[in-house]
Amino acid sequence: MKKLLLAAAIALLLGYGWNELKPAVSGENKIVVLEGEAAGWEEPEPAGKKLNIAPDEVYKGDLLLVNSRHSVPKGAKLPRVVNLFEQPELAEGIGVLDNGVELPPELLHRFAEMVDAARADGVDHFLITSGYRNEEKQAELYEKMGADYANPPGYSEHNLGLSLDVGSSLGMMKDAPEGKWLEKNAWRHGFVLRYPEDKTDITGVQHEPWHFRYVGLPHSAIMQKQGMVLEEYLDYLQEAGRIQAEVNGTAYTVTYYSMKDKKPLSIPIEGSYTLSGDNMDGVIVTTWDAGSPVAKEAGPS
Ligand SMILES: [Zn+2]
C-alpha cells in the first residue's frame, strides 16, 4: 500500500513538471531527496481542501531562523515553559544543571524521547545546562559573557524556546559519549546540531557541541543528509521551491511559498501537514502520507 502511494506520489509529481529529479539514496538513513526546479513545478488542480496562510505565519513555527541578522519576531507569543527543577518528573533520569533551567514541555518531551533512544545504546549521562531564556536572562548572560560567547537579547535561539544546551556528566561534550551520540543521531528525533565546527562561517557562531535545535522531521533528516545548517537549508528550500524526501519509508513533500507581498495565501492541500515560517519572507508547508506509522510518530503534536 505504502509502495503504491509512493509510486502514485512520484507519478503525480512527474506529471506536474518535475523536470529535474536527482535521487540521492543513503542506505543507512533511508533518505531520498528529490529536487524540483524552482520554476519547474505547478500547483496541482484544486482538489477541494484549501489551506489558508495568513502573512504572520512567516513568524511562527519550528523552522524560524534566529541568528545575528534575524531576531525573535517582535511581538512573538512567549512560549509556555516549565521549570525542570520544580518538576523533575518531566526530566526523569536526565541531569539538570541548576534551578533556573526552563523548557517548553513539548520540547522537553521530545528531548526525553531522544534520551530514551540513547539509553538503549548505553549512553546515559545527559545534563541539561540551559533551556529557554527570556530576554532578561539573555541580557544578563550577554553582559556577563560578552559578544564572543553570547548573543544579544532577542538574537539567541534560546529566546525562541526551540533550543537547549546539553552537557555530559562524563566530561566535555566534544569528547563525551553523549556528545558523540547526539551528533550522530539527533536528526532521527527532529533535532540538529546547530553550530557545527565546519559551518562557523555560515552560522557566525563558534563550534558548540552542546547546542541542539528542534526543527522536526523530515527537516532534520534532510539537513543531515545534505550536510546543511538551518541558514543553508532555508536558502535551499527557497531556491528549489519544492523537494520530496523519503525518510524511513514515509514520503514527505516540502514546499516553500514566498509571502513577500504580505498577502494571505490559499493553497490546495491533501493529507497531513505542518506549516512553519522561516522568519524572513516565506512559509514552508510539509505534507506526508498519514497512513504510515512512522509518519504518525514524526507528525506534529
Ligand atoms: Zn545554546
Side-chain angles (χ1 to χ4, degrees):
M1 181 64 184
K2 211 184 290 169
K3 260 189 198 150
L4 210 104
L5 279 169
L6 182 65
I10 290 172
L12 191 81
L13 293 164
L14 282 168
Y16 284 113
W18 276 50
N19 45 16
E20 193 191 335
L21 293 170
K22 291 184 242 163
V25 186
S26 149
E28 199 223 336
N29 298 354
K30 289 193 196 140
I31 296 175
V32 185
V33 177
L34 304 170
E35 304 172 3
E37 268 187 356
W41 57 269
E42 292 163 28
E43 286 302 334
E45 284 304 308
K49 208 175 147 195
K50 290 262 189 183
L51 172 64
N52 295 311
I53 306 173
D56 67 350
E57 294 292 344
V58 170
Y59 305 109
K60 298 174 189 170
D62 292 338
L63 290 171
L64 295 185
L65 179 66
V66 168
N67 58 21
S68 62
R69 278 165 295 131
H70 302 278
S71 70
V72 172
K74 299 283 167 245
K77 220 168 103 203
L78 296 180
R80 186 174 72 86
V81 293
V82 290
N83 184 302
L84 274 54
F85 217 71
E86 287 163 16
Q87 284 174 269
E89 72 279 5
L90 296 177
E92 225 176 333
I94 305 171
V96 179
L97 183 68
D98 61 39
N99 61 7
V101 178
E102 296 178 321
L103 276 178
E106 310 79 45
L107 185 70
L108 178 58
H109 177 70
R110 285 165 174 149
F111 181 72
E113 275 185 348
M114 180 160 67
V115 167
D116 282 345
R119 218 169 260 153
D121 289 345
V123 179
D124 196 18
H125 291 80
F126 292 96
L127 180 70
I128 301 177
T129 60
S130 189
Y132 171 72
R133 298 180 203 136
N134 59 27
E135 297 214 359
E136 202 176 307
K137 257 199 224 171
Q138 187 69 32
E140 264 171 44
L141 195 75
Y142 184 64
E143 198 103 316
K144 198 168 114 194
M145 306 290 282
D148 284 345
Y149 295 96
N151 292 313
Y155 291 84
S156 164
E157 280 195 345
H158 287 277
N159 309 146
L160 204 54
L162 291 171
S163 290
L164 74 171
D165 292 343
V166 186
S168 164
S169 55
L170 298 177
M172 305 284 281
M173 277 300 265
K174 70 176 176 40
D175 308 314
E178 285 67 29
K180 294 198 166 124
W181 191 94
L182 282 179
E183 185 168 3
K184 195 169 160 226
N185 295 294
W187 66 269
R188 297 174 198 276
H189 305 274
F191 286 85
V192 294
L193 175 70
R194 182 67 178 88
Y195 306 116
E197 197 162 17
D198 57 345
K199 300 282 182 175
T200 55
D201 55 329
I202 297 161
T203 63
V205 175
Q206 56 152 353
H207 178 213
E208 291 194 356
W210 54 83
H211 182 111
F212 288 85
R213 157 75 190 258
Y214 183 80
V215 291
L217 281 168
H219 310 292
S220 55
I222 303 170
M223 289 166 73
Q224 172 81 10
K225 168 87 187 120
Q226 306 287 74
M228 292 175 178
V229 289
L230 189 56
E231 283 83 357
E232 293 171 300
Y233 181 55
L234 294 173
D235 280 353
Y236 167 69
L237 291 181
Q238 184 176 1
E239 208 167 293
R242 173 171 290 172
I243 62 169
Q244 194 191 38
E246 187 192 321
V247 180
N248 294 333
T250 300
Y252 295 89
T253 301
V254 183
T255 309
Y256 172 92
Y257 294 93
S258 172
M259 299 291 282
K260 229 173 200 154
D261 58 8
K262 301 195 164 35
K263 286 195 190 117
L265 211 63
S266 183
I267 59 161
I269 193 103
E270 265 183 278
S272 303
Y273 69 90
T274 56
L275 172 66
S276 176
D278 63 4
N279 200 21
M280 293 180 285
D281 291 317
V283 292
I284 293 116
V285 176
T286 306
T287 57
W288 66 90
D289 160 20
S292 87
V294 177
K296 274 183 197 146
E297 200 178 307
S301 57

